[in-house]
Each structure stands twice: as structure tokens, then as C-alpha cells.
Amino acid sequence: MKKITLFAITAFTAVIISAEAQKSNKKSMKKVLFVVTSNDKLGNTGEKTGFWSEEFAAPYYELLDQGVDITIASPLGGQPPIDPKSADPALATEDTKRFDADTVLQEKLKNTLKLSTVNQKDYDAVFYPGGHGPLWDLVEDKSSIALIESFYTHNKPVAFVCHAPAVLKNVKVKGEYLVKGKKVTGFTNEEEEAVGLTKVVPFLLEDALASNGAIFSKGANWQPYAVADGLLITGQNPASSKLVAAKLLQELK
């Protein structure tokens, strides 16, 4: 009887310890908010756009595989549009192939949170994938602007890749543009020219950030290049997506 009682006590204690360990792990797990566009129209061209799959998938799995908990939000909530051009098999990477086969993530994408309902208090950092879509909605979205300001002023990393740094265009901190005097990068004028959309986009990202006082730098076209200036992390193009995620992880640690 004593042996049975001792066993029961030991088992019960083990359950309590395990439960406490799980609680502790959940508390220590970093949480990152991904914000994607809800816009699927490429200006007045009649063509479709959205977020660029590699710029979502590469950082998503880089962070997920390191135990980061990821929540996805968009201006309208629900299923965000994916730029159809980013699904071109010729552009496929190991991350986009994993993305295409990931039924759990596909279901998660169908149910993105409405951006106006999220609060920076619930997350440790925010990340914006690019694609041309954000140029028409997130740049002017008041919830997005306020959210970035809130993350930054609460000493939390804000990260962007490719066209996503454009959403910084209207973000101010204490009356000054957030990018003023900061080192940044993003999709360059040359790269926009190369894809033939300089006359389609509402503004050129490189010019807009530079005019707001940013110290804009760039690498070779289509090559990985990312810049971290304190809490502000930016990447130049799709190839820079994983590099931005690596810099974000470094900041989170």
C-alpha cells in the first residue's frame, strides 16, 4: 500500500512539474505578428497582385523552426491574396514548396486576424512580407501605421522585406518620420524598372524613403541584402527574406 501511495504521489508530482514546464515554455516562447496585404489589384492594370509567397514562406519557416509562435493579420482579415506571379514554378524554392504543401498554414491563412483588432502587447515583434499589394493598402492603413509606431516605441523589432518597407512611408515617431536618419533598404528603383512597373506603382519605394530622410542603401539587383538599424530591419528583395528573418531572430534573442 505504501509503495502504491508513493508511486501515486510521484506520478502526480511529475504531472504538476510537466504542466508547469509547459506553462514556462509558453511564456518564454517568442511571438511574432506577420502582417500581409488584403489588396489583390495591381493598380489599374487589371492584373492581380497580393503578397509574394517567398517573402512570406522563407521568414515564416525560419522563425517557426526556431520555436517562434506566429500569428497572421491583414487589413480585412480572412484569406489574403497571394501574387499569382510568385507561384511560378520557375521561382520555386524549398520554402515555397513547403508552403504549398503545408495544409495547416493554408488553413491559418484563411483565417487571418483583422489588423484593427490586434495589439502589440501580445507580440514580441512584427514582420511585413512584401509583394506589390501593400503599396495600395498597408501604406495608408491607419491601423498598420499605429501598430508599427507602437511596436517601435515599446522597444520591439519591426521588420520588412522587398516592397514592405514602403509601409513605413507614413509612420512617424514623436512627429518625425521613423526612417529619418535610419539605415534602410527595400525594392530598388532599378529592380522596379526591371519588372516594368515604375509607371504602375503609386510611388517608388526607394525615392519615398529617401525623401523622408532615410539612409537608403542597396546591394546588387536580386541578390540577398538586408540592413538592421537598431529595432528597424529591412531587406531589399525576395532573395533577402531569409536574411531579414535571421536578423530578426538575432534581435529577439
Side-chain angles (χ1 to χ4, degrees):
M1 181 64 74
K2 287 183 179 179
K3 285 184 179 180
I4 293 173
T5 303
L6 181 61
F7 176 78
I9 292 171
T10 303
F12 182 66
T13 303
V15 169
I16 291 174
I17 291 171
S18 177
E20 289 301 318
Q22 287 179 4
K23 283 183 184 178
S24 178
N25 285 338
K26 282 185 178 180
K27 285 181 180 178
S28 63
M29 180 184 288
K30 295 297 183 180
K31 296 181 178 181
V32 174
L33 177 70
F34 271 44
V35 179
V36 294
T37 182
S38 290
N39 173 57
D40 68 350
K41 294 179 177 64
L42 188 64
N44 298 317
T45 63
E47 294 182 30
K48 294 293 186 182
T49 187
F51 71 82
W52 197 262
S53 59
E54 182 182 0
E55 296 166 25
F56 178 96
Y60 183 89
Y61 292 121
E62 186 78 4
L63 296 172
L64 185 73
D65 292 346
Q66 293 299 316
V68 175
D69 181 46
I70 301 167
T71 298
I72 311 168
S74 62
L76 299 180
Q79 178 69 57
I82 302 171
D83 192 312
K85 291 188 179 72
S86 70
D88 185 339
L91 301 175
T93 66
E94 290 306 310
D95 290 310
T96 60
K97 290 175 186 175
R98 182 176 172 185
F99 171 81
D100 292 338
D102 192 338
T103 55
V104 173
L105 177 53
Q106 300 306 326
E107 191 62 31
K108 195 173 178 180
L109 274 168
K110 288 178 185 176
N111 299 284
T112 67
L113 299 178
K114 194 169 184 179
L115 191 56
S116 60
T117 68
V118 302
N119 192 315
Q120 64 80 18
K121 291 179 182 178
D122 299 323
Y123 307 97
D124 299 294
V126 66
F127 172 76
Y128 283 68
H132 282 88
L135 296 175
W136 283 275
D137 65 349
L138 288 170
V139 170
E140 305 295 338
D141 189 281
K142 291 180 180 178
S143 294
S144 176
I145 293 167
L147 193 69
I148 295 167
E149 179 188 354
S150 185
F151 269 94
Y152 193 81
T153 55
H154 284 85
N155 295 312
K156 296 178 180 180
V158 292
F160 314 81
V161 69
C162 200
H163 281 89
V167 306
L168 292 162
K169 181 174 181 280
N170 297 311
V171 179
K172 292 184 177 181
V173 173
K174 296 179 180 177
E176 296 279 7
Y177 287 112
L178 188 154
V179 298
K180 185 177 180 181
K182 302 285 193 314
K183 297 173 184 175
V184 301
T185 189
F187 204 64
T188 67
N189 291 355
E190 283 184 9
E191 287 168 322
E192 202 70 80
E193 180 71 37
V195 297
L197 293 175
T198 55
K199 305 298 183 185
V200 173
V201 293
F203 60 90
L204 294 174
L205 181 156
E206 180 179 343
D207 290 350
L209 296 187
S211 69
N212 283 353
I215 303 167
F216 194 96
S217 62
K218 51 193 170 184
N221 289 355
W222 318 117
Q223 297 304 306
Y225 183 76
V227 176
D229 191 332
L231 298 169
L232 177 60
I233 303 165
T234 49
Q236 182 175 322
N237 46 38
S240 310
S241 303
K242 195 161 284 200
L243 188 54
V244 170
K247 288 182 179 295
L248 179 55
L249 277 170
Q250 215 170 18
E251 194 64 36
L252 285 171
K253 290 175 183 176

